Amino acid sequence: MQNFSFQNTTKIIFGKETEKEVGKYTAQHGYKVLVHYGGGSIKKYGTYTKVINSLEKAGIDYVELGGVEPNPKLSLVQAGIELARKEKIDFILAVGGGSVIDSAKAISVGYFYDGDVWDFFEAEAKITEALPIGVVLTIPAAGSESSGSSVITKLDGMYKRSIGSNLIRPKFAILNPELTFTLPNYQTACGAVDIMAHIMERYFTNTEDVELTDRLAESALKTIIKNTPKVLANNEDYAARAEIMWTGTIAHNGLLGTGREEDWASHGIEHELSGIYDVAHGAGLAVIFPAWMNYVYQHDLERFAQFAHRVWDIEPDFKDLEQTAYQGIKKTKEFFSSIGMPVSLKELEIPEDRLEEMAQKATENGEIGSFVNLDTKAVLEIYQNALD
Amino acid sequence: MQNFSFQNTTKIIFGKETEKEVGKYTAQHGYKVLVHYGGGSIKKYGTYTKVINSLEKAGIDYVELGGVEPNPKLSLVQAGIELARKEKIDFILAVGGGSVIDSAKAISVGYFYDGDVWDFFEAEAKITEALPIGVVLTIPAAGSESSGSSVITKLDGMYKRSIGSNLIRPKFAILNPELTFTLPNYQTACGAVDIMAHIMERYFTNTEDVELTDRLAESALKTIIKNTPKVLANNEDYAARAEIMWTGTIAHNGLLGTGREEDWASHGIEHELSGIYDVAHGAGLAVIFPAWMNYVYQHDLERFAQFAHRVWDIEPDFKDLEQTAYQGIKKTKEFFSSIGMPVSLKELEIPEDRLEEMAQKATENGEIGSFVNLDTKAVLEIYQNALD
C-alpha cells in the first residue's frame, strides 16, 4: 500500500424526497444562488419546481442558467461566469448529472479569475479560490457530486480537459433515487458503465498489497452488475436505483483509490472520442475499456484472473490463468452489450479516418496510463482493436 | 435502503513516517496544544519524541497529560479539563488508541461547559461547542480517529457511557502502520475483534435492500480475517498492519451503516462487562458477540447464512439454512479463539454472581438492540450463554 491522504467533506443527503430540503442546505452557504441545469427534463418531470419551491421557502434569491449539454462546453461556462459576476452570485446549485456539476465547478473557479477560465484546464493557472457548490443529482454516473474534479470540452480544436482541486468539491449533494426513475434506459446504461469505469481505473494497478480496496472495488462492481439489469427492466425499482446511485458516489469519492496507483488511460482515450464525436461518455467507455483490457491484460494475469473470479464468478483455471483472465474481459464486454451499450466503434458509427489524430491528441503530453504506459502507437492500436 | 445523511470530514494521513508531519497539520488548527496520551509505550518506542519534535519544529506550544487507561476514566477527563483551561489550550492532540482519543473528546466538550462533563454522558447536557482534536493513532481498534463518539467510564457506580456529535470528530488523523509493530499480540487481537464488531453491529440489520453496504462490510471483515493471523505471526508485516489499520477506520467512519438500521446490542452488553471487570473491550466482545449471535440467529437465517457463505466461505446448504447459518457463528468463535481471544466468561475469569446486575444495567433505559430487541431477561440469557 502506498502512503496517501484522504478527505471527502461533501455532505451526502440520500433518499426519498430529499430534494425538498435543498433550500435548507443551500441557506447554510449562500444567499444569492445560480441554479444551473441542462435540458428540459428537470422541468418536464417536476424536479425544477420542487427545487425552486424549496429555495423560495428558505428565502433564497436566485437566477438560473440552463442549457448544459452532455460533454459540457466552455462557451456556456464563460456565459455562466459573466452572469454570476453580474448577479453577484455567492453559491452555485447544480441540478442535474455530471455535465451540469462539472459546468458549475468551472464557473465557480472562473468567477474569481481575471483571465480565460480555460487557462485552468491547460494548467496555466492554479485554482486558489472557488464559489461554493451544491448538487441535486439526477443522473448517477460521473461521481462529480462528491469529487474535486471537472471535465470541460472546448469546441475550438475539440479539446476535452479536466481540472482538480478540493476547492471545487461540492459542499453537499442531494441524492434521491426517485429522480432517476425517468432516465431513458440508454442513459441509465451509460451511467452504469461510467461508474464501473471509475472503479476499474482504480482496480487495475501495479501497487502491491491493496487487499481492502481491491475487495471494496469488487463489491461496488458486483452491485452495479446486479442492479443495472433490474432498473432497465423496471425503471421505478427504487431499491435497485438506490444501490446504483450510492455506488456511483462511492466509486468516485476517492476511497477506492486510497493507497494505490490509479490508471485512467481508458478515460483519456475515451475523452478524445467524445471530444470529437460527441458520443455519450459512458457509451465511449463501453467501447474503449474492453479494448484497453485486451491490450494490457498480459501485463498482470493474476490481477485479471482475480477480477474474472471475484467480479464475474468465473471459476479459475489455475493451469491456464490467461484463459481465466480472458473470460473476465469477455464477460465485461458481454455485460455492456447486454445492457444496450455499444462495444465497438462501428456500433457508434465512428469511422477509422481520425484514429491517428485522436491517438496523437491523447498522448500529446506524453505517455498515458500507469498500469501499462501507453504511447501514441499503443493508443492507436487500442482504437484499432475497438473498431469492430 | 433507508434515507440517510453521511459526512465524514476527518482528513486521513496514512503511511510510513507520517507522524513526523503532525506539527504541520496541528498548526492548521491551534497554537497551544494539549498532548494527551496513555501509558509509557509512546515514550518507550520513540513515537512521543517524533511527535514533540514535529510540534516544536512547527513552532507549537504544548502541555501534556499522560496516564489514560484502557476504558478511559472520568476522573482523568476532569483533570484534563482543568489543565486545558488553566493553560488556555486551543487544540488537543491525542497520541494513542481509542481510549486516549475518547478521553481527548470528553475533555474537548467539557472545556466549554460549566457543569460536570458527565452530564453529557447522561444526556443531561447537549454538545454545542468543542475544542478541535487531532490524532496520531497507535492502535487500530476503536475507529475513534474519525468517529464522532466517545465512551468514558465513571468508576463511581461503574458506569460506561457514550456521547456523540460531529463537533468531536477529529480534524485529522495520522495513521502510520509502523507505529503498531510494537503492539503485543493480545492487544492486536483485541483490536481485530473490536473492528469486526463495529462492522457486524451494522451488518446484522432488519433493513431490506442494502446490497452495497452488505458487500462493503463483508469485504472489510474478510480483510481483517485474512490479515490478523499474519501480523500475529510477524509483528512487523507492514502490508498486513496497513490493511488492518485502514479497515479499522473504514469500519467505524459511518460508511458501512449508511441507509441501514444498526444494532449495537453486543456493545451495550459488553460495556457492562468491561465497566465492572475492566476487561479489554475487544476481549469482552469476543465473548459476547458469538453468544449474541447464538441468541438471535433464528430471527433471520437468510442473513446469517449469507454471512456464513460470503464472509467465512461456508458452502451453503440450501435445504438446511439453519445449519449454514450456525456454521458461520461457529467459524466466528473459532477465529476469535485462534487469534488468542477468550470466547467465554470463564476464560475471562468472570464469575456468574453479577450477571443479573449487569443485565439490569444494560437495559436500565429500556430494551437494547434493533435486529432483535432485547429486554433484561434476554440480556441475562446471553450472559449465561457466554459463561463457558
Side-chain angles (χ1 to χ4, degrees):
Chain A
M1 202 187 297
Q2 296 179 336
N3 281 17
F4 67 86
S5 74
F6 173 72
Q7 183 178 34
N8 191 313
T9 51
T10 304
K11 184 181 181 79
I12 304 292
I13 303 106
F14 191 102
K16 290 177 183 170
E17 305 208 344
T18 45
E19 73 279 12
K20 292 181 181 167
E21 298 176 57
V22 67
K24 182 179 87 182
Y25 292 107
T26 300
Q28 293 170 4
H29 302 281
Y31 301 98
K32 181 76 184 272
V33 175
L34 174 65
V35 180
H36 200 34
Y37 56 90
S41 66
I42 69 158
K43 291 196 173 168
K44 186 167 161 194
Y45 297 115
T47 305
Y48 173 84
T49 308
K50 280 185 264 181
V51 165
I52 295 298
N53 284 350
S54 179
L55 292 177
E56 287 180 347
K57 209 175 135 194
I60 288 166
D61 197 11
Y62 65 92
V63 295
E64 56 179 274
L65 178 64
V68 182
E69 296 165 306
N71 302 314
K73 307 300 181 292
L74 176 62
S75 51
L76 191 72
V77 169
Q78 290 165 330
I81 293 168
E82 211 169 304
L83 177 64
R85 285 178 183 158
K86 191 181 127 214
E87 299 285 345
K88 298 194 169 33
I89 291 302
D90 61 7
F91 188 82
I92 307 179
L93 182 65
V95 185
S99 298
V100 174
I101 304 166
D102 283 7
S103 184
K105 287 172 174 176
I107 294 170
S108 84
V109 298
Y111 184 87
F112 293 102
Y113 181 64
D114 282 339
D116 183 355
V117 66
W118 190 249
D119 291 351
F120 292 108
F121 293 83
E122 295 281 7
E124 286 167 14
K126 201 174 169 289
I127 298 169
T128 56
E129 207 172 354
L131 286 173
I133 296 170
V135 172
V136 175
L137 188 66
T138 62
I139 309 171
S144 188
E145 63 276 12
S146 84
S147 84
S149 59
S150 161
V151 182
I152 297 292
T153 296
K154 181 180 182 172
L155 288 177
D156 179 12
M158 281 299 188
Y159 284 97
K160 193 168 179 176
R161 293 289 176 265
S162 65
I163 52 172
S165 165
N166 275 324
L167 291 168
I168 57 174
R169 199 183 295 280
K171 298 297 175 194
F172 66 80
I174 292 175
L175 279 62
N176 176 0
E178 294 170 315
L179 301 187
T180 71
F181 285 177
T182 54
L183 282 175
N185 275 356
Y186 188 80
Q187 218 173 338
T188 295
C190 281
V193 174
D194 197 11
I195 293 167
M196 289 178 67
H198 289 156
I199 303 165
M200 295 189 298
E201 295 281 20
R202 294 168 167 106
Y203 189 80
F204 294 103
T205 185
N206 294 317
T207 310
E208 300 283 340
D209 304 317
V210 286
E211 180 171 355
L212 175 66
T213 43
D214 266 7
R215 290 191 187 278
L216 297 177
E218 291 152 2
S219 296
L221 286 169
K222 283 188 93 103
T223 304
I224 297 296
I225 292 162
K226 187 156 162 203
N227 288 283
T228 302
K230 286 189 189 177
V231 300
L232 296 179
N234 172 11
N235 290 179
E236 305 201 356
D237 182 335
Y238 180 85
R241 289 281 191 193
E243 295 293 347
I244 291 172
M245 200 167 206
W246 191 211
T247 305
T249 301
I250 301 299
H252 203 48
N253 74 352
L255 173 66
L256 302 185
T258 50
R260 46 201 295 155
E261 198 177 61
E262 306 181 4
D263 189 70
W264 296 100
S266 297
H267 265 72
I269 297 171
E270 195 290 319
H271 278 177
E272 300 313 325
L273 206 65
S274 55
I276 291 183
Y277 292 103
D278 214 20
V279 303
H281 178 53
L285 285 167
V287 173
I288 297 299
F289 226 110
W292 173 84
M293 287 175 160
N294 272 316
Y295 188 83
V296 303
Y297 79 109
Q298 308 268 1
H299 170 68
D300 188 348
L301 287 179
E302 291 84 356
R303 177 156 286 279
F304 269 92
Q306 176 183 299
F307 172 74
H309 175 58
R310 293 204 198 152
V311 176
W312 296 106
D313 297 319
I314 307 277
E315 193 166 79
D317 181 342
F318 298 104
K319 293 214 167 173
D320 192 350
L321 276 194
E322 177 165 354
Q323 191 52 29
T324 307
Y326 179 74
Q327 290 301 320
I329 301 171
K330 193 160 163 274
K331 276 272 202 179
T332 307
K333 200 165 171 172
E334 285 168 2
F335 176 75
F336 291 163
S337 266
S338 76
I339 61 172
M341 286 286 99
V343 290
S344 69
L345 292 173
K346 195 174 168 192
E347 286 178 78
L348 281 175
E349 297 180 5
I350 290 177
E352 51 187 311
D353 57 338
R354 296 180 74 176
L355 301 188
E356 231 164 291
E357 175 192 347
M358 293 193 291
Q360 288 287 353
K361 256 172 139 178
T363 54
E364 67 178 16
N365 295 319
E367 293 184 346
I368 60 171
S370 73
F371 184 65
V372 173
N373 299 323
L374 304 175
D375 60 13
T376 313
K377 193 167 150 286
V379 172
L380 178 60
E381 207 167 310
I382 291 169
Y383 282 128
Q384 284 164 340
N385 287 346
L387 273 170
D388 60 15
Chain B
M1 204 186 296
Q2 295 180 337
N3 281 17
F4 67 87
S5 74
F6 173 73
Q7 183 178 34
N8 190 315
T9 51
T10 303
K11 184 180 181 79
I12 304 293
I13 302 105
F14 191 101
K16 290 177 183 170
E17 305 208 343
T18 44
E19 73 279 14
K20 292 180 181 168
E21 298 177 57
V22 67
K24 182 179 87 181
Y25 292 107
T26 301
Q28 294 170 3
H29 302 281
Y31 302 97
K32 181 76 184 274
V33 174
L34 174 65
V35 180
H36 200 34
Y37 55 91
S41 66
I42 69 159
K43 291 195 174 166
K44 186 168 163 194
Y45 298 114
T47 305
Y48 174 84
T49 308
K50 280 186 263 180
V51 165
I52 295 298
N53 285 349
S54 179
L55 291 178
E56 287 179 349
K57 209 175 135 195
I60 288 166
D61 196 10
Y62 66 92
V63 294
E64 54 179 274
L65 178 65
V68 182
E69 297 166 304
N71 303 314
K73 307 300 181 292
L74 176 63
S75 51
L76 191 72
V77 169
Q78 289 164 333
I81 293 168
E82 211 168 305
L83 177 64
R85 285 178 184 159
K86 191 181 127 215
E87 299 286 344
K88 297 194 170 32
I89 291 301
D90 61 6
F91 188 81
I92 306 178
L93 181 65
V95 184
S99 297
V100 174
I101 304 166
D102 283 7
S103 184
K105 287 172 173 176
I107 294 170
S108 85
V109 298
Y111 184 87
F112 293 102
Y113 181 65
D114 283 338
D116 183 355
V117 65
W118 191 250
D119 291 351
F120 293 109
F121 293 83
E122 295 281 8
E124 286 167 13
K126 201 173 169 291
I127 298 169
T128 56
E129 207 173 353
L131 287 173
I133 296 170
V135 173
V136 176
L137 188 66
T138 62
I139 309 172
S144 187
E145 64 275 12
S146 84
S147 84
S149 58
S150 162
V151 181
I152 297 292
T153 296
K154 180 181 183 172
L155 288 177
D156 179 14
M158 282 298 188
Y159 283 98
K160 193 167 180 177
R161 293 288 176 266
S162 66
I163 53 171
S165 165
N166 276 323
L167 291 167
I168 57 173
R169 199 183 294 280
K171 299 297 175 195
F172 65 80
I174 292 175
L175 279 60
N176 176 0
E178 294 170 313
L179 301 187
T180 70
F181 285 178
T182 54
L183 282 174
N185 274 356
Y186 189 79
Q187 218 172 338
T188 296
C190 281
V193 175
D194 197 12
I195 293 167
M196 290 176 68
H198 289 156
I199 303 165
M200 295 189 297
E201 295 281 20
R202 293 168 168 107
Y203 190 80
F204 293 103
T205 184
N206 295 316
T207 311
E208 300 283 339
D209 303 318
V210 285
E211 181 173 355
L212 175 66
T213 43
D214 266 6
R215 291 190 185 277
L216 296 178
E218 291 152 2
S219 295
L221 286 169
K222 283 188 93 100
T223 304
I224 296 297
I225 292 161
K226 188 157 162 204
N227 287 284
T228 302
K230 287 189 189 177
V231 302
L232 296 180
N234 173 10
N235 289 179
E236 305 202 355
D237 182 336
Y238 181 85
R241 288 281 191 192
E243 295 294 347
I244 291 172
M245 201 168 206
W246 191 209
T247 306
T249 302
I250 300 299
H252 203 49
N253 74 352
L255 173 65
L256 302 185
T258 50
R260 45 202 294 153
E261 196 177 61
E262 306 181 4
D263 189 69
W264 296 99
S266 297
H267 266 72
I269 297 170
E270 195 291 318
H271 277 178
E272 299 314 324
L273 206 64
S274 56
I276 291 182
Y277 293 102
D278 213 18
V279 303
H281 178 52
L285 285 167
V287 173
I288 296 299
F289 226 111
W292 173 85
M293 287 174 159
N294 272 317
Y295 187 84
V296 303
Y297 80 108
Q298 308 268 3
H299 170 69
D300 188 348
L301 286 179
E302 292 84 358
R303 178 155 286 279
F304 270 92
Q306 176 183 299
F307 172 74
H309 175 58
R310 293 204 197 152
V311 176
W312 297 106
D313 297 318
I314 307 278
E315 195 166 78
D317 180 343
F318 297 104
K319 293 216 168 170
D320 192 351
L321 275 193
E322 177 164 354
Q323 190 53 28
T324 307
Y326 179 73
Q327 289 301 321
I329 301 170
K330 193 160 163 274
K331 277 270 203 182
T332 307
K333 199 165 171 172
E334 285 168 4
F335 176 75
F336 290 163
S337 266
S338 76
I339 61 171
M341 285 286 99
V343 290
S344 68
L345 292 174
K346 195 175 169 191
E347 285 178 79
L348 281 175
E349 297 179 7
I350 290 177
E352 51 186 311
D353 58 337
R354 295 179 75 177
L355 301 188
E356 230 163 292
E357 176 193 347
M358 292 192 291
Q360 287 287 353
K361 255 171 141 180
T363 54
E364 67 178 18
N365 295 318
E367 294 184 347
I368 60 171
S370 73
F371 184 65
V372 174
N373 299 323
L374 304 174
D375 59 13
T376 313
K377 193 168 151 283
V379 172
L380 178 61
E381 206 168 311
I382 290 169
Y383 282 128
Q384 284 164 339
N385 287 346
L387 274 170
D388 59 14

